[in-house]
Coordinates of all heavy atoms in Angstrom, one line a residue:
A1 N -193.5 37.1 112.2 CA -192.7 38.2 111.8 C -191.5 37.7 111.0 O -190.9 36.7 111.4 CB -192.3 39.1 112.9
N2 N -191.0 38.5 110.0 CA -189.8 38.2 109.4 C -188.6 38.3 110.3 O -187.6 37.6 110.2 CB -189.5 39.1 108.2 CG -190.3 38.7 107.0 OD1 -190.7 37.5 106.8 ND2 -190.6 39.7 106.1
N3 N -188.7 39.3 111.3 CA -187.7 39.5 112.3 C -188.4 39.9 113.6 O -188.9 41.0 113.7 CB -186.8 40.6 111.8 CG -185.6 40.8 112.7 OD1 -185.7 40.9 114.0 ND2 -184.4 41.0 112.2
I4 N -188.4 38.9 114.5 CA -189.1 39.1 115.8 C -188.6 40.3 116.5 O -189.4 41.2 117.0 CB -189.0 37.9 116.7 CG1 -189.6 36.6 116.0 CG2 -189.5 38.1 118.1 CD1 -191.1 36.7 116.0
N5 N -187.3 40.5 116.6 CA -186.7 41.6 117.3 C -187.2 43.0 116.7 O -187.6 43.8 117.4 CB -185.2 41.6 117.2 CG -184.5 42.6 118.1 OD1 -184.6 43.8 117.8 ND2 -184.0 42.1 119.2
H6 N -187.2 43.1 115.4 CA -187.7 44.3 114.8 C -189.2 44.6 115.0 O -189.6 45.7 115.2 CB -187.4 44.4 113.3 CG -185.9 44.5 113.0 ND1 -185.4 44.7 111.8 CD2 -184.8 44.5 113.8 CE1 -184.1 44.8 111.8 NE2 -183.7 44.7 113.1
R7 N -190.0 43.5 114.9 CA -191.4 43.6 115.1 C -191.7 44.2 116.4 O -192.7 45.0 116.6 CB -192.0 42.2 115.0 CG -193.5 42.1 115.3 CD -194.5 42.8 114.4 NE -194.3 42.5 113.0 CZ -194.9 41.5 112.3 NH1 -195.8 40.8 112.9 NH2 -194.7 41.4 111.1
F8 N -191.0 43.9 117.5 CA -191.3 44.3 118.8 C -190.6 45.6 119.2 O -191.0 46.2 120.3 CB -191.0 43.2 119.8 CG -192.1 42.1 119.8 CD1 -192.0 41.1 119.0 CD2 -193.1 42.2 120.7 CE1 -193.0 40.1 119.0 CE2 -194.1 41.3 120.7 CZ -194.0 40.2 119.8
E9 N -189.7 46.2 118.4 CA -189.1 47.4 118.7 C -190.2 48.5 118.9 O -190.1 49.3 119.8 CB -188.1 47.8 117.6 CG -186.8 47.1 117.7 CD -185.8 47.5 116.6 OE1 -186.2 48.4 115.7 OE2 -184.7 47.0 116.6
E10 N -191.1 48.6 118.0 CA -192.1 49.7 118.0 C -193.0 49.4 119.2 O -193.5 50.4 119.9 CB -193.0 49.7 116.8 CG -192.2 50.3 115.6 CD -191.7 51.7 115.8 OE1 -192.5 52.5 116.3 OE2 -190.5 51.9 115.5
R11 N -193.3 48.2 119.6 CA -194.1 47.9 120.7 C -193.4 48.3 122.0 O -194.1 48.9 122.9 CB -194.4 46.4 120.8 CG -195.4 46.0 119.7 CD -195.7 44.5 119.7 NE -196.8 44.2 118.8 CZ -196.7 43.6 117.7 NH1 -195.5 43.3 117.2 NH2 -197.7 43.3 116.9
L12 N -192.1 48.2 122.1 CA -191.4 48.6 123.3 C -191.5 50.2 123.4 O -191.6 50.7 124.4 CB -190.0 48.2 123.3 CG -189.7 46.8 123.7 CD1 -188.2 46.5 123.7 CD2 -190.2 46.5 125.1
R13 N -191.3 50.8 122.2 CA -191.4 52.3 122.2 C -192.8 52.7 122.7 O -192.8 53.7 123.5 CB -191.1 52.8 120.8 CG -191.0 54.3 120.7 CD -190.5 54.7 119.3 NE -189.1 54.2 119.1 CZ -188.8 53.4 118.0 NH1 -189.7 53.1 117.2 NH2 -187.6 53.0 117.9
A14 N -193.8 52.1 122.3 CA -195.2 52.4 122.7 C -195.3 52.2 124.2 O -195.9 53.1 124.9 CB -196.2 51.7 122.0
V15 N -194.8 51.1 124.7 CA -194.9 50.9 126.2 C -194.2 52.0 127.0 O -194.7 52.5 128.0 CB -194.3 49.5 126.5 CG1 -194.0 49.3 128.0 CG2 -195.2 48.4 126.0
R16 N -193.0 52.4 126.5 CA -192.3 53.5 127.2 C -193.1 54.8 127.1 O -193.2 55.5 128.1 CB -190.9 53.7 126.5 CG -189.9 52.7 126.9 CD -188.5 53.1 126.5 NE -188.4 53.2 125.0 CZ -188.0 52.3 124.2 NH1 -187.8 51.1 124.6 NH2 -188.0 52.5 122.9
E17 N -193.6 55.1 125.9 CA -194.3 56.4 125.7 C -195.6 56.5 126.4 O -196.0 57.5 126.9 CB -194.5 56.6 124.2 CG -193.2 56.9 123.5 CD -193.3 57.0 122.0 OE1 -194.5 56.7 121.4 OE2 -192.3 57.2 121.3
F18 N -196.3 55.3 126.6 CA -197.6 55.3 127.3 C -197.4 55.3 128.8 O -198.3 55.5 129.6 CB -198.5 54.2 126.8 CG -199.1 54.4 125.5 CD1 -198.9 53.6 124.5 CD2 -200.0 55.5 125.3 CE1 -199.5 53.8 123.2 CE2 -200.6 55.7 124.1 CZ -200.4 54.8 123.1
G19 N -196.2 55.0 129.2 CA -195.9 55.0 130.7 C -196.5 53.8 131.4 O -196.9 54.0 132.6
F20 N -196.6 52.7 130.8 CA -197.1 51.5 131.6 C -196.4 51.3 132.9 O -195.1 51.4 132.9 CB -197.1 50.3 130.7 CG -198.1 50.3 129.6 CD1 -197.7 50.6 128.3 CD2 -199.4 50.0 129.9 CE1 -198.7 50.6 127.3 CE2 -200.4 50.0 128.8 CZ -200.0 50.3 127.6
R21 N -197.1 50.9 133.9 CA -196.4 50.6 135.2 C -195.9 49.2 135.2 O -196.3 48.3 134.4 CB -197.5 50.8 136.3 CG -198.0 52.3 136.4 CD -199.0 52.4 137.4 NE -200.1 51.4 137.1 CZ -201.4 51.7 137.1 NH1 -201.8 52.9 137.5 NH2 -202.3 50.9 136.8
N22 N -195.0 49.0 136.1 CA -194.3 47.6 136.2 C -195.4 46.5 136.4 O -195.2 45.4 135.9 CB -193.3 47.6 137.4 CG -192.1 48.4 137.1 OD1 -191.9 48.9 136.0 ND2 -191.2 48.5 138.0
N23 N -196.4 46.7 137.3 CA -197.3 45.7 137.5 C -198.1 45.3 136.3 O -198.6 44.2 136.2 CB -198.3 46.0 138.7 CG -199.2 47.2 138.4 OD1 -198.8 48.1 137.6 ND2 -200.3 47.3 139.0
E24 N -198.3 46.2 135.3 CA -198.9 45.9 134.0 C -198.0 45.1 133.1 O -198.4 44.2 132.5 CB -199.4 47.2 133.4 CG -200.4 47.9 134.1 CD -200.6 49.4 133.7 OE1 -199.6 50.0 133.3 OE2 -201.8 49.8 133.7

């Protein structure tokens, strides 16, 4: 990625929205 932080922002948003549990 050109910017690692920006690349993973959307991934974090998806993790929040999908409601992944802590153990996952």
Side-chain angles (χ1 to χ4, degrees):
N2 282 335
N3 185 315
I4 295 289
N5 189 288
H6 289 187
R7 170 68 51 92
F8 282 88
E9 282 178 0
E10 290 301 316
R11 290 180 169 102
L12 279 185
R13 189 171 295 120
V15 167
R16 282 191 302 269
E17 290 171 358
F18 283 120
F20 287 101
R21 296 177 303 227
N22 289 357
N23 65 331
E24 296 164 322

